[in-house]
Amino acid sequence: MTRIVRRPGAFVCGIDAAMDVIGGKWKVLILWALNEKTCRFGELRRAVPGVTEKVLSSHLKELEDDGIVHREVYAEVPPRVEYSLTPLGLSLNAALEPLGVWGRDHIYRGAEESGAVGAGAEAAAEPVAGLGKR
């Protein structure tokens, strides 16, 4: 598979190049869901509540073009398609893990500063996908 780069030579730094791959509201949540397990389209749609079919399809195509997601089509009737992370996608998730830790700590710190400390603060922060340890 040939890797497609959407903006060759236009990157200012490594962060810029990484943001080109993960930019968008839903891509990191898609990566997080696929880190948990291989998913079919409908499973991903349920794992990322709020994403539309059009946007999910578009983001999956972009992630596939960037070599982050693998799309496997099975010759069955009806056809079955599964999405999984490539080794490059797994390494991207590993690189995003410290950012998730930072985000989780930031949420907890904000809850402590507002006076919502203890189990209630942790419970309030838990639903944020991708911020907990895997």
Side-chain angles (χ1 to χ4, degrees):
M1 177 173 149
T2 305
R3 185 166 182 269
I4 299 170
V5 178
R6 291 189 299 275
R7 296 187 309 144
F11 301 116
V12 175
C13 64
I15 295 291
D16 188 24
M19 291 305 296
D20 184 58
V21 173
I22 63 169
K25 182 176 180 178
W26 306 105
K27 284 186 181 177
V28 292
L29 297 177
I30 293 167
L31 291 171
W32 175 76
L34 289 176
N35 198 62
E36 298 297 313
K37 67 177 188 157
T38 296
C39 294
R40 295 175 73 174
F41 187 86
E43 291 175 301
L44 273 174
R45 180 99 193 273
R46 288 186 294 277
V48 184
V51 68
T52 65
E53 286 185 25
K54 180 180 177 181
V55 170
L56 179 58
S57 179
S58 171
H59 282 349
L60 284 169
K61 175 71 172 127
E62 289 173 11
L63 290 166
E64 183 182 4
D65 288 345
D66 285 332
I68 304 298
V69 168
H70 173 70
R71 181 178 186 263
E72 182 76 28
V73 181
Y74 294 90
E76 299 174 353
V77 177
R80 176 171 51 113
V81 178
E82 293 183 342
Y83 297 91
S84 60
L85 292 177
T86 64
L88 187 61
L90 292 170
S91 72
L92 176 56
N93 265 355
L96 290 171
E97 185 68 30
L99 184 60
V101 170
W102 181 89
R104 186 188 65 231
D105 292 348
H106 180 69
I107 288 172
Y108 291 155
R109 187 174 306 116
E112 289 171 357
E113 290 172 3
S114 70
V117 292
E122 288 184 19
E126 277 309 309
V128 180
L131 294 182
K133 289 194 174 199
R134 290 184 195 118

